[in-house]
Each structure stands twice: as structure tokens, then as C-alpha cells.
Amino acid sequence: MRIRIRLPFRVRASASRPLVYEIVCWDEEKGDWVVLERVRDKRAAMDAVRRLRSRCPSGEIYFVREGFRPLRLAESGA
Amino acid sequence: MVEAVSTRVSDLLWELGTKFEEITRREGTRNVVVVTRDVVDYFTDIARATDRVEMGGFLLGRFLSNHARIFLFHDYVQARNVSEDPEVSYLPDREAADEVFALLREGRYDAVSVMHTHPDEAAFSDSDLSAGRSFAEETWEIMESSKYPEDLWKEIRTEVLSKRPCLYVPNFLVTGGYNPVLYVYAYATPFIFTAAADGRGVSSWYKSKRLCSEFGEHCKFLEKRVLRAVELGLISERDYAYILDCIYDCYFVAIPIKRLEKLLPPEV
């Protein structure tokens, strides 16, 4: 029997746009993530996190691919 | 050699079953997910190896059900990502999946799960949650159906599938970035997660949290993302309900990879 793995819908969407990484910071007042900067590659994203850390008062700053979000790990106890 | 490994794994499985009998009663959950040293090392290595595209494979192991239901993953098979968009999704190579199912049907393993990586620091997405659950459902059907003659299976299929213990089969995600994190997620009921070593048992463990009760912002984000996909016609109304179920039923554990090592009992 062959398995029938369902395709995640993003696969079917077949995004043709180039990948963008977003540097996101948790905004306590808004209760949401705000995008501080968008960059084109992973190395630049990692550098940007280091560079922008002082602009994120909550200290919760991450890099994610556009359309994705991190989890608030400080809250999860991780 | 294979027999020796099999005996060691069986011994560990029984040891875990005994240890978690009382803990699961006290914690009000029956499900326990355990990984061995080899799998911990695999998570650590794959976190380092993931760069621009998602990677992944299958975790294989044994299942023991008394009061505690123990899922012990002690082996893995890396599987090529054949997704059209490997930068944003993981789809395991079908040939590798078929090989894994052949191993299950031969009885060498009785639990299988998918693990994949994210090249960034993003947590699991709605499609991770729904793909994980649908994989578990299909795996379980394959395993159950192989136990019965075809005619009998047709007769009892609905009843067997309605019990749905497949919802407890966990999936694994490893993220990248400065501080790689392991996410373990399953559905419907809470579970305990730990790492174990042959002959040394376990030292500590984590209990899962319910996504939508404790991480409202991520739950809402995933809901919105799915709704947007419906509006764009990327998913059907039927899939929409299924994916929302996966989100609302999700329980998970998040552990920085560097702390995983500490879960293992110390060397004697």
C-alpha cells in the first residue's frame, strides 16, 4: 500500500516570490509581533537580530521567513 | 547485533512503562514520548545542518500501552525534501516513506513519526500541524489494516478508526537560528516528554502545554493564516475545519536543543 501524504497547502501555492526573512519583535503594548526589518538572506537576518536587539524592549526578537511567526519561548518556560 | 539492539530497546521500554505508571496517574495523562541518545544527537546534528531549506525524516520506535502509553523513538531515517518550495515546506520523499512502512509491516518498529526542520526561528505552522496529524492517521490505518484479513478490515475499519489513538502520535520540529529549539507536538490530550538512555532510565521530563489556552497569540495567528488560505482558494472549506481542529487540539513541548542533553541521565 502506498501512503497518501497530504500536501501542505503552501506546497500547492508554489510561491514564486523570492524568500524574505523578517526580523520580528514582541510588542507588549500591541500584544503582537512587529516587523523591524526585512532582509533577503539568512546570514543578513542573523546579523540584523544582533544589530536590532536594542530596538526591541521586550527582548523577544527573532528572525522568521515571511508569513511565519515564532512562539514566545520566554513565556513557554523554554 | 539486530537482536541485541531489539532486546535493549525492549528492556528500556518496559523500564519506562514501570517508571511512568505512577507519574502518568499523578499527572492526569497517559501519553509519554521518549527519545534516546541517538535521536537527541540526530536533532543536534540536523539543527546545525539546516541552512536555507527545510530538512527532515522519520523517527522510528516502539509503542507500549498499559496505563502509560509509551512512544519510544530510538531510530531515524533521513528523507529527502521533495517539496516544490523546500524553503518553506517539507515533503518527505515517497520512496523513503514506503521503505519506512515496509519496516513497520515487517514488525521491526511499531511507531513512526515525522520530524522536520525550519531554517529560521519560526514555530510550527498550521500546515505543520495538519500534515503531522494526517500522516499519523494514515500511518495508523496502514498499521491496523495490516493486522486483519481484507474482508474483516472492511467490516471493522470504521469502528477501529473511530478510536483514533493516532492523535497521540507526536511530531517533531527543530528550528534554526542562534538558539535551536525542539518542538514536540501531538493532539487531543497532554503528554510527557523526556529523553532516556539504555540502563540509566530518565532523570527529568517536561509536560506539554495546550497551544490555544496558553499561547493565544500564536493560535490566533495560525487561525488567520488558514482563513487567508481559504479566501485565496488554496484550501477547501472541509480542509479548513480539519486544520482548525489540529490547531485547537494541539499540545506541545518546546525545549532548546542545548537543554536536551541535560534531559539524558548522567553517565555512570
Side-chain angles (χ1 to χ4, degrees), chain A residues 2-4 6-7 9-11 14-15 42-43 46 50 62-65 67 69 71-72 76 78, chain B residues 51 54 85 87 89 94 97-98 101 118-121 123 126 138 142 178 209 217 225 235 252:
Chain A
R2 292 183 73 82
I3 58 163
R4 313 173 304 269
R6 273 186 210 208
L7 294 185
F9 65 80
R10 283 193 66 90
V11 174
S14 190
K42 186 171 168 176
R43 298 287 158 252
M46 291 179 80
R50 222 171 7 222
Y62 300 98
F63 73 95
V64 291
R65 292 158 295 170
R69 285 294 175 262
L71 206 72
R72 299 187 60 206
S76 77
Chain B
D51 188 14
E54 297 194 4
D85 292 319
E87 290 168 330
S89 66
R94 189 162 294 240
D98 285 341
F101 282 102
H118 282 176
D120 59 358
E121 298 178 297
D126 38 279
E138 290 174 16
I142 289 169
Y178 287 111
K209 296 179 177 184
E217 82 286 346
R225 202 170 174 270
I235 57 173
F252 75 98

Side-chain angles (χ1 to χ4, degrees), chain B residues 172-191:
Chain B
F172 299 83
L173 163 68
V174 174
T175 64
Y178 287 111
N179 185 17
V181 172
L182 168 70
Y183 290 93
V184 186
Y185 49 94
Y187 314 88
T189 58
F191 62 91

Side-chain angles (χ1 to χ4, degrees), chain B residues 2-107:
Chain B
V2 171
E3 215 165 90
V5 171
S6 172
T7 308
R8 267 192 3 240
V9 170
S10 296
D11 290 349
L12 180 57
L13 193 61
W14 280 106
E15 190 187 327
L16 292 165
T18 310
K19 178 173 175 73
F20 280 101
E21 187 75 17
E22 191 213 323
I23 295 172
T24 48
R25 284 182 201 280
R26 199 173 63 224
E27 293 294 329
T29 179
R30 292 181 59 192
N31 302 331
V32 183
V33 178
V34 188
V35 293
T36 59
R37 145 77 62 190
D38 286 350
V39 176
V40 168
D41 290 344
Y42 175 49
F43 290 147
T44 311
D45 291 346
I46 203 164
R48 284 196 201 108
T50 297
D51 188 14
R52 289 189 64 248
V53 298
E54 297 194 4
M55 296 170 73
F58 299 97
L59 297 190
L60 296 153
R62 301 283 306 278
F63 175 63
L64 174 74
S65 180
N66 287 320
H67 178 268
R69 297 188 194 101
I70 312 282
F71 294 90
L72 171 62
F73 294 99
H74 60 91
D75 223 342
Y76 59 87
V77 174
Q78 179 95 14
R80 201 162 52 95
N81 185 357
V82 295
S83 164
E84 286 174 28
D85 292 319
E87 290 168 330
V88 291
S89 66
Y90 175 69
L91 184 66
D93 175 30
R94 189 162 294 240
E95 273 181 33
D98 285 341
E99 279 170 28
V100 163
F101 282 102
L103 293 171
L104 288 174
R105 281 192 294 268
E106 285 167 18

Side-chain angles (χ1 to χ4, degrees), chain B residues 32-260:
Chain B
V32 183
V33 178
V34 188
V35 293
T36 59
R37 145 77 62 190
D38 286 350
V39 176
V40 168
D41 290 344
Y42 175 49
F43 290 147
T44 311
D45 291 346
I46 203 164
R48 284 196 201 108
T50 297
D51 188 14
R52 289 189 64 248
V53 298
E54 297 194 4
M55 296 170 73
F58 299 97
L59 297 190
L60 296 153
R62 301 283 306 278
F63 175 63
L64 174 74
S65 180
N66 287 320
H67 178 268
R69 297 188 194 101
I70 312 282
F71 294 90
L72 171 62
F73 294 99
H74 60 91
D75 223 342
Y76 59 87
V77 174
Q78 179 95 14
R80 201 162 52 95
N81 185 357
V82 295
S83 164
E84 286 174 28
D85 292 319
E87 290 168 330
V88 291
S89 66
Y90 175 69
L91 184 66
D93 175 30
R94 189 162 294 240
E95 273 181 33
D98 285 341
E99 279 170 28
V100 163
F101 282 102
L103 293 171
L104 288 174
R105 281 192 294 268
E106 285 167 18
R108 289 179 55 185
Y109 303 97
D110 45 30
V112 61
S113 167
V114 178
M115 79 80 53
H116 78 289
T117 65
H118 282 176
D120 59 358
E121 298 178 297
F124 42 77
S125 66
D126 38 279
S127 36
D128 292 335
L129 294 181
S130 58
R133 178 163 145 185
S134 94
F135 177 79
E137 285 167 350
E138 290 174 16
T139 313
W140 194 61
E141 182 169 353
I142 289 169
M143 287 171 62
E144 286 298 305
S145 63
S146 64
K147 292 179 189 166
Y148 304 95
E150 203 172 323
D151 286 351
L152 180 59
W153 174 247
K154 276 182 192 161
E155 217 172 281
I156 62 172
R157 180 179 177 274
T158 309
E159 191 195 331
V160 172
L161 295 187
S162 69
K163 292 176 187 163
R164 315 186 84 199
C166 51
L167 297 182
Y168 314 140
V169 179
N171 288 281
F172 299 83
L173 163 68
V174 174
T175 64
Y178 287 111
N179 185 17
V181 172
L182 168 70
Y183 290 93
V184 186
Y185 49 94
Y187 314 88
T189 58
F191 62 91
I192 284 170
F193 173 75
T194 189
D198 297 341
R200 288 185 278 134
V202 299
S203 57
S204 59
W205 42 270
Y206 286 75
K207 189 173 177 187
S208 66
K209 296 179 177 184
R210 185 163 177 261
L211 174 66
C212 290
S213 308
E214 300 191 43
F215 297 87
E217 82 286 346
H218 197 66
C219 185
K220 272 188 211 147
F221 165 73
L222 296 180
E223 270 178 18
K224 279 187 201 160
R225 202 170 174 270
V226 184
L227 190 58
R228 177 100 179 110
V230 174
E231 286 165 359
L232 292 172
L234 297 173
I235 57 173
S236 67
E237 292 281 341
R238 192 177 159 199
D239 282 346
Y240 175 59
Y242 180 86
I243 298 169
L244 285 186
D245 258 4
C246 297
I247 297 170
Y248 298 146
D249 276 355
C250 173
Y251 286 82
F252 75 98
V253 164
I255 310 169
I257 293 284
K258 61 188 177 196
R259 277 202 214 158
L260 260 183

Side-chain angles (χ1 to χ4, degrees), chain A residues 21-40:
Chain A
Y21 286 92
E22 294 179 329
I23 316 305
V24 295
C25 164
W26 179 255
D27 187 319
E28 297 284 4
E29 280 179 24
K30 289 184 182 162
D32 203 356
W33 296 101
V34 290
V35 178
L36 298 181
E37 200 168 300
R38 287 186 173 83
V39 294
R40 289 278 177 208

